[in-house]
Amino acid sequence: MKIDDAYSTGSSIMPQKKNPDATELIRGKTGRVYGSLTSLLTTMKGLPLAYNKDMQEDKEPFFDALDTVLACLQIMSKMIATMKVNSENMKKAVKGGFLNATEVADYLVSKGVAFRDAHSIVGSIVIYCEDHKKSH
């Protein structure tokens, strides 16, 4: 996957590498938005007990969260518009790594196999596949 230089920076050690700064910064903003939500929920929990003067404290976290989310959506939509996806690389990545090993263990458990036994069985299958160069 490639994104425009406007939404990434180069690495200080690897000049060919692009760090997806926009996505990382947006991910970091979720803590701020969650904090605003927690603040609002905490204020709202006490409402039935008083004259609701504490509701004046709801504006700051609400508008901060709104501004943060809108800015993140704006940047993310612009970044996504510049994205170029290499579908062949994606297909190769999905086929490798035994991504469905947990599902196989869960399936065995649903058929009555104890989880520790299912874990061992699937582990043996993965080792066999790796030893015989069968990744999918």
Side-chain angles (χ1 to χ4, degrees):
M1 179 186 76
K2 293 181 181 178
I3 58 174
D4 192 81
D5 288 345
Y7 305 100
S8 63
T9 59
S11 168
S12 60
I13 240 175
M14 298 180 290
Q16 80 285 7
K17 185 176 180 219
K18 285 184 173 183
N19 295 318
D21 291 347
T23 55
E24 292 178 3
L25 293 169
I26 288 170
R27 182 180 58 203
K29 294 284 187 187
T30 59
R32 181 180 185 145
V33 174
Y34 287 170
S36 293
L37 174 62
T38 301
S39 175
L40 286 166
L41 292 173
T42 302
T43 299
M44 297 296 292
K45 75 167 183 54
L47 286 182
L49 302 175
Y51 294 103
N52 300 337
K53 289 293 254 179
D54 44 356
M55 283 304 295
Q56 62 190 335
E57 289 297 319
D58 70 341
K59 310 310 183 268
E60 185 178 355
F62 175 78
F63 287 115
D64 182 65
L66 180 65
D67 292 343
T68 300
V69 170
L70 290 176
C72 290
L73 289 172
Q74 184 179 32
I75 294 293
M76 185 62 84
S77 64
K78 289 178 180 178
M79 187 200 70
I80 288 173
T82 74
M83 251 175 35
K84 291 178 180 59
V85 176
N86 185 329
S87 57
E88 288 305 311
N89 282 353
M90 288 177 67
K91 287 176 187 174
K92 287 177 190 175
V94 168
K95 287 182 179 181
F98 304 98
L99 297 175
N100 60 349
T102 303
E103 284 76 15
V104 174
D106 288 342
Y107 172 79
L108 292 173
V109 169
S110 75
K111 296 298 180 186
V113 177
F115 181 77
R116 68 180 169 278
D117 296 330
H119 185 280
S120 178
I121 292 166
V122 174
S124 296
I125 293 169
V126 169
I127 290 169
Y128 174 87
C129 289
E130 287 175 335
D131 289 347
H132 292 87
K133 308 283 189 262
K134 298 179 183 293
S135 64
H136 53 286

